[in-house]
Amino acid sequence: MTFENIRYVGVNDRDIDLFEGMYVVPEGVSYNSYVIIDEKSAVTDGVDGGFADVWLKNIAAVLGDKKPAYLIINHMEPDHSASIFAFAEKYPDATLVGNDKTFVMLSEYFGTAFEGRRLVVTDGEELSLGKTKLKFVFAPMVHWPEVMVTYDETDKVLFSADAFGKFGTLDVEDKWDSEARRYYFGIVGKYGLQVQGLLKKLSAYEIRAIFPLHGPVLRENLGYYIEKYNLWSSYTPEVDGVLIAYTSVYGHTKAAAEKLYEELKDRNVTVSICDLARSDWSQCVASAFQLSKLALATTTYNGEIFPAMREFIDCLVERNYKNRKIGIIENGTWAPVAAKLIRAKFEKCKNITFAETDVKIRSALNDESLAALKVLADEMSK
Ligand SMILES: Cc1cc2nc3c(=O)[nH]c(=O)nc-3n(C[C@H](O)[C@H](O)[C@H](O)COP(=O)(O)O)c2cc1C
Ligand SMILES: [Fe+2]
Ligand SMILES: [Fe+2]
């Protein structure tokens, strides 16, 4: 489906080292912005600061002699908003559209709330551009408090802010799921309840296409993407299977994790394995949420859980990890405490069941711990 009156004016960022200061993005990321051409044209959102010039050129190339009447600010995170001041200077007659919270953030970032040239909208408020009627739907905490999405009632198009976004520049040809999942659980994962709220609001609207702030425009099979968001935000596993996440200093805990992997494969279980110290943590987090079960194998380290495992569990707990089964493999040479500490870390999480068998290793696998591994494999394959 093409929407002749909606043009892309965003940018691809291939040079970014870490998205939000912590996510590796080997295929870069796009900051999407669109122009809705009408009697009064509107630009939706901006781009990161280093791309302001390119963005303004893109807008001018689309509009020619005309000027945008509005800049609609769905999200104030600087990957989209850092260029707004440059826009406001170039187009002094343009009105900035946002909500109360948007303008508080604008004044914090830029020292001005743009009095005299702003339109403060409320939830559900509409704006006519001529032919196109827009409706603003508030979506607090998807992913910041000021977030709103803009529904184009004329074209039945949703400008969805960060929702339905993915990592990767727009020229990357990959399947949406993997990088959209990593993006979702990394960035919005904590706010499942708020995403559910937004999905409920949106179910009242006919949507023909979704224009997110990162990644490609979604034009077909929208039910597929919406169902993924429904699963993710309700913390429902997508796949029945086990992620084995381990840390190991000298290889003995790794051997146990690999043995569990084989045992589960033998039982025809879908299983993935990752070395937490050597893998992209955000990929491991996404896999943990994708699958229904989690096996954690770790060394005791200075009376604590090995640091990479500690951080991994913190990332899960922070993102409201729930509705899962967890198995534990603990290693320690003189005073193993990892299993006890792991259980304590998940105390805040809802609907977590632990496998009955903890595999306890003293330094290296032996007959007893090997037998326990098989019992754990039985439990995790149920
Ligand atoms: C720096 C360091 C600190 C450790 N601290 C503890 C500890 O506090 N208690 C314990 O039982 N084992 C401790 N260990 C031993 C490990 O938990 C583990 O048993 C050993 O490294 C063998 O497992 P691996 O081959 O998977 O690394 C420590 C090991 C290292 C390298
Ligand atoms: Fe964001
Ligand atoms: Fe974003």
Side-chain angles (χ1 to χ4, degrees):
M1 210 172 285
T2 52
F3 300 93
E4 286 300 318
N5 54 324
I6 304 173
R7 304 287 174 79
Y8 186 78
V9 291
V11 299
N12 283 321
D13 185 351
R14 296 182 185 86
D15 299 326
I16 183 170
D17 62 342
L18 290 173
F19 183 79
E20 282 189 2
M22 60 196 293
Y23 299 92
V24 295
V25 279
E27 304 288 356
V29 67
S30 70
Y31 312 117
N32 299 341
S33 166
Y34 309 91
V35 176
I36 307 168
I37 301 172
D38 209 321
E39 283 162 37
K40 292 176 163 184
S41 292
V43 179
T44 65
D45 294 294
V47 298
D48 209 353
F51 296 88
D53 288 350
V54 186
W55 176 54
L56 293 174
K57 273 187 198 139
N58 291 351
I59 294 170
V62 163
L63 287 177
D65 300 336
K66 298 202 182 116
K67 290 187 164 55
Y70 297 106
L71 173 65
I72 295 162
I73 305 164
N74 288 307
H75 187 16
M76 271 302 296
E77 192 170 2
D79 54 334
H80 311 290
S81 74
S83 50
I84 286 176
F85 197 83
F87 175 96
E89 278 192 321
K90 178 163 178 188
Y91 297 112
D93 297 326
T95 298
L96 306 191
V97 182
N99 54 56
D100 279 335
K101 294 191 170 102
T102 317
F103 288 101
V104 171
M105 290 186 184
L106 275 167
S107 65
E108 286 174 6
Y109 278 107
F110 299 119
T112 167
F114 298 96
E115 282 91 355
R117 50 177 306 190
R118 67 190 198 182
L119 175 63
V120 183
V121 297
T122 52
D123 191 11
E125 193 167 328
E126 299 187 1
L127 174 68
S128 174
L129 304 178
K131 190 169 82 61
T132 312
K133 303 254 178 311
L134 301 177
K135 191 184 185 94
F136 305 104
V137 178
F138 286 16
M141 299 322 293
V142 184
H143 133 245
W144 276 18
E146 84 299 355
V147 170
M148 55 186 199
V149 299
T150 300
Y151 179 63
D152 169 347
E153 298 178 303
T154 313
D155 296 293
K156 314 263 185 254
V157 157
L158 180 72
F159 297 92
S160 63
D162 276 340
F164 300 99
K166 76 181 263 298
F167 294 128
T169 53
L170 294 182
D171 48 0
V172 173
E173 296 258 333
D174 60 351
K175 208 166 168 269
W176 181 83
D177 300 38
S178 175
E179 285 295 75
R181 185 187 297 107
R182 189 166 73 90
Y183 177 85
Y184 175 84
F185 282 110
I187 284 141
V188 204
K190 180 180 172 66
Y191 303 109
L193 204 63
Q194 290 83 348
V195 175
Q196 283 279 305
L198 176 62
L199 293 178
K200 203 164 279 169
K201 274 185 174 177
L202 293 178
S203 64
Y205 301 95
E206 180 192 347
I207 299 170
R208 289 194 202 138
I210 297 174
F211 287 61
L213 284 178
H214 305 281
V217 174
L218 307 175
R219 297 166 195 276
E220 283 161 16
N221 283 328
L222 296 190
Y224 176 83
Y225 304 105
I226 291 167
E227 181 53 18
K228 285 287 181 205
Y229 257 61
N230 184 34
L231 290 175
W232 296 345
S233 58
S234 60
Y235 304 91
T236 308
E238 285 169 80
V239 178
D240 188 22
V242 182
L243 172 71
I244 303 170
Y246 70 88
T247 63
S248 182
V249 183
Y250 297 111
H252 302 87
T253 315
K254 178 181 179 180
E258 288 176 343
K259 181 71 185 153
L260 179 65
Y261 180 87
E262 282 167 30
E263 294 287 340
L264 289 170
K265 278 270 172 207
D266 288 347
R267 289 163 178 75
N268 292 317
V269 175
T270 302
V271 55
S272 310
I273 185 163
C274 61
D275 176 344
L276 292 174
R278 291 174 180 79
S279 309
D280 167 23
W281 68 272
S282 65
Q283 186 57 60
C284 301
V285 166
S287 299
F289 280 101
Q290 184 186 16
L291 295 163
S292 57
K293 294 171 195 138
L294 178 64
L296 300 171
T298 194
T299 47
T300 303
Y301 183 89
N302 293 340
E304 251 293 349
I305 307 166
F306 193 80
M309 179 61 78
R310 222 185 307 161
E311 281 169 27
F312 177 63
I313 296 171
D314 285 344
C315 285
L316 296 180
V317 173
E318 182 191 332
R319 287 162 178 75
N320 287 323
Y321 187 75
K322 62 174 117 177
N323 307 332
R324 304 292 195 283
K325 182 169 185 174
I326 299 176
I328 301 173
I329 300 173
E330 162 199 83
N331 196 354
T333 296
W334 63 92
V337 290
K340 193 181 94 194
L341 295 175
I342 286 175
R343 280 169 194 272
K345 273 190 163 294
F346 283 102
E347 250 162 32
K348 281 184 245 156
C349 297
K350 291 192 185 129
N351 195 22
I352 295 291
T353 49
F354 287 96
E356 276 173 30
T357 312
D358 285 347
V359 178
K360 296 186 176 281
I361 304 168
R362 277 281 178 160
S363 302
L365 277 170
N366 60 16
D367 289 347
E368 200 181 326
S369 47
L370 271 171
L373 258 180
K374 288 185 194 225
V375 178
L376 180 63
D378 286 337
E379 280 195 58
M380 297 302 276
S381 61
K382 267 186 223 145

